[in-house]
Amino acid sequence: MGIRERKERERERRRQQIIVAAKRVFCEKGFNRATMEDIAKEAELSPGTLYLYFKNKDELYASLSLRILQYLIIRLEHVNSNSELNAEERVDALVEAMFDVYDFDPLIIINLFHLQSSETLKNLSEEMLGEIENLSRKSLSAIADVFRKGIDEKIVLDRHPYALADIFWAMFSGVILWESSKKIINDDKDYLKDTLRAAFEIFTRGIKCQGTLQ
Amino acid sequence: MGIRERKERERERRRQQIIVAAKRVFCEKGFNRATMEDIAKEAELSPGTLYLYFKNKDELYASLSLRILQYLIIRLEHVNSNSELNAEERVDALVEAMFDVYDFDPLIIINLFHLQSSETLKNLSEEMLGEIENLSRKSLSAIADVFRKGIDEKIVLDRHPYALADIFWAMFSGVILWESSKKIINDDKDYLKDTLRAAFEIFTRGIKCQGTLQ
Amino acid sequence: MGIRERKERERERRRQQIIVAAKRVFCEKGFNRATMEDIAKEAELSPGTLYLYFKNKDELYASLSLRILQYLIIRLEHVNSNSELNAEERVDALVEAMFDVYDFDPLIIINLFHLQSSETLKNLSEEMLGEIENLSRKSLSAIADVFRKGIDEKIVLDRHPYALADIFWAMFSGVILWESSKKIINDDKDYLKDTLRAAFEIFTRGIKCQGTLQ
Amino acid sequence: MGIRERKERERERRRQQIIVAAKRVFCEKGFNRATMEDIAKEAELSPGTLYLYFKNKDELYASLSLRILQYLIIRLEHVNSNSELNAEERVDALVEAMFDVYDFDPLIIINLFHLQSSETLKNLSEEMLGEIENLSRKSLSAIADVFRKGIDEKIVLDRHPYALADIFWAMFSGVILWESSKKIINDDKDYLKDTLRAAFEIFTRGIKCQGTLQ
DNA sequence: GATGAATGAGTATTCATTCAT
DNA sequence: TATGAATGAATACTCATTCAT
């Protein structure tokens, strides 16, 4: 391992250290009430150091979302590349993948919405904006691919695959957001998962061509 | 009408005037970038006056959401009180009601999530918190009632009505949030409505007992 | 006096109060080391209040310069409008006027240079930029007028009046800056005035047509 | 050449390398907006290295001025040591020298004023302060010498030579500063030189004893 | 000597909220 | 009631300087 590579690795380690600290602080306080100093303290670094790794607060925040999008894509591509599955099993695998994503980071998905707010987007670098868009496209495209196969095999409603993917994603994030927003009353994660499971079941039933499956 | 009542009426008029102005400003600038002075200007009042009608910025913001919740409840109760409808028609009427709500205020529904963030809730008075909780419960209860009837008549999956209501609401708001978040690329309101319609269709199909309907 | 006029007067009073405080602080600490909080304290106001009267630090600073330019112009116009003076007396009156300006505010003239730095100019409002340019033009024009008369009467070198005005002004400010910069060694204001006087004398001799005077 | 001497030479080379880079950056961005990192990059060194050669930013900045003062003195001493010139020719040679100095570094002369600001001086080492004072004295003394000879020969006004030198220098720098400050409107270097030439002419006429010359 | 990552003090500016009128 | 001037706490971000390697 060359010296350059080692440095790069060290740098990436620091980035992750900061991201982890930021995640904790953002989760606890929310975006606006979390200060850069809070995050620096949590990461046991000085405020200035944060700016060596992230252009500004918004870009640090966006990095959190990027991480889950990357995980999501890996998981989705794994579903699509598994040629042993038939269309129906693939839909089920998709649902499983979403559960994994939720387990990977139950809180950060909420942030994906904050990320999308135009307030935030204005402060991001072209590079990061491009990456967000790219990853968003990729993940939606991967979801659509699952449905496309089902449509081809005529076991899924003949809707545009992207439209189904949109609805699937909207339902997924809608349940998480909605159930999370009730957390003040009920912080029971199992309840959320149950709802998620039920929602996926209803969705899966809803998209199936009549009589074909069950 | 006594003098006291007249005053109360006048006071309510002012509140509405401020709420309308706030809505415009929040929609245009988002919560954080909208200043109390902006809102005061839009309402043609002075900043100080706003505080005679609302405890603070968060409470003013919450009032916007209260308004749509009230509309939602009226609409839902209308669905439930219409004894001419059978269970299936009632589900359809529910869907129609949600479209009305969306038309009533397409933007403010996004705010319901901001409202729920713990950041905001901390600044609200007990009274307002109570009212939010009350209205939320009521509306969810009304949605659940629609499904309960369907379950009773065995044309809807035998799930807990509240669970179905949760999923229904989550899908509704999920689609709106998700499609809205794509607005940078696609600000087409019809597309959103189409997705909403498709989502409702899938949901409706998904909750129906096999073989029962269509 | 209407209520509006009274308010306007009050507002102007506050502006002056801030300008006076700012002048003291800028003189003592220099532009960069003077903080807005320093100035606020000196003016017995809060930092926020400063921003009700001046857009930013640069604009507050620029206001100081505006004040002396205004005084300068009044003084110069007085010289030009005095029809009793012949060309030679008018040059002498010009010199006297410059002494007055120096007495009016010996320190702030140094600021005119800081003001002109492109760093500063970028932060000024269009309005203020326009006013600065306008006043600068006017004052130089007034100086040129003095020389124009002398040229017409053939007792002053036949140079472009504006060129003479430029040199006159450059010498004036050059002497002040140069002598002031030596203040660490010699803070004697009389010495500065003596040098100024000598400089003006040399200038006056230098611009006179040969043989014409003395 | 011993090893020590070689090292010293190497060290001086580096200093010059940094000074040259600093000059470029300061000219482009101004003192405050130029960061040590900018300069380090321009010099193709690391920020830390700059501090091996200069105590701090102010001292680096001051070094730039020292360089021009050194050039100025060499040029002035050359004028004084040329015994072939009579007093009048010497004044002309002085003027020529100043043009050379301006050509040597048209921009850095502006910095001499920044240097003198008490803000800056406080951060300089005793040694550097001493050198600045020493060089300033020397250069002024050399200018005064030119005039002294003229006074002795009674072709220049019988003023204190230092007073004349002060005025001469003030006019020189005043013209440069003043014309430079107008650069936003007119970045014409020839115009500046023309003004400088005219200013010197007026000054030269102004200091001459009546009837003696021309 | 040289590096450059890390530091952390320093500050302009904003804006929700108050209160004298 | 209504005003709107004044407040002052709060914070993102910069950059000269240091020091372990």
Side-chain angles (χ1 to χ4, degrees), chain D residues 121-180:
Chain D
L121 293 170
K122 277 174 191 163
N123 273 333
L124 300 183
S125 64
E126 279 301 313
E127 191 193 345
M128 171 118 343
L129 270 175
E131 193 152 358
I132 289 170
E133 204 178 326
N134 179 30
L135 292 181
S136 298
R137 264 188 225 285
K138 261 194 184 165
S139 58
L140 209 62
S141 166
I143 296 174
D145 280 348
V146 174
F147 296 125
R148 182 171 296 116
K149 187 150 192 192
I151 294 164
D152 290 346
E153 295 187 11
K154 298 194 191 285
I155 61 172
V156 163
L157 284 182
D158 186 17
R159 294 291 183 121
H160 193 295
Y162 270 99
L164 293 180
D166 267 354
I167 295 166
F168 180 77
W169 177 260
M171 173 172 260
F172 173 62
S173 46
V175 168
I176 290 177
L177 286 169
W178 172 240
E179 296 301 326
S180 299

Side-chain angles (χ1 to χ4, degrees), chain A residues 1-61:
Chain A
M1 178 163 53
I3 193 162
R4 193 195 180 99
E5 199 180 339
R6 185 174 317 207
K7 284 213 168 174
E8 193 48 49
R9 207 176 281 263
E10 176 64 20
R11 188 175 165 79
E12 186 51 31
R13 216 182 53 73
R14 262 286 203 281
R15 270 183 66 95
Q16 290 306 320
Q17 173 190 0
I18 294 170
I19 284 180
V20 168
K23 186 178 143 185
R24 271 201 290 270
V25 177
F26 281 132
C27 285
E28 191 191 342
K29 304 203 171 186
F31 181 78
N32 286 302
R33 295 174 55 119
T35 71
M36 290 302 267
E37 202 178 336
D38 289 337
I39 297 168
K41 261 186 199 138
E42 180 74 28
E44 294 182 311
L45 290 168
S46 77
T49 307
L50 266 46
Y51 288 88
L52 295 178
Y53 294 89
F54 299 93
K55 211 185 89 198
N56 54 39
K57 194 182 172 187
D58 280 319
E59 199 141 331
L60 170 53
Y61 191 84

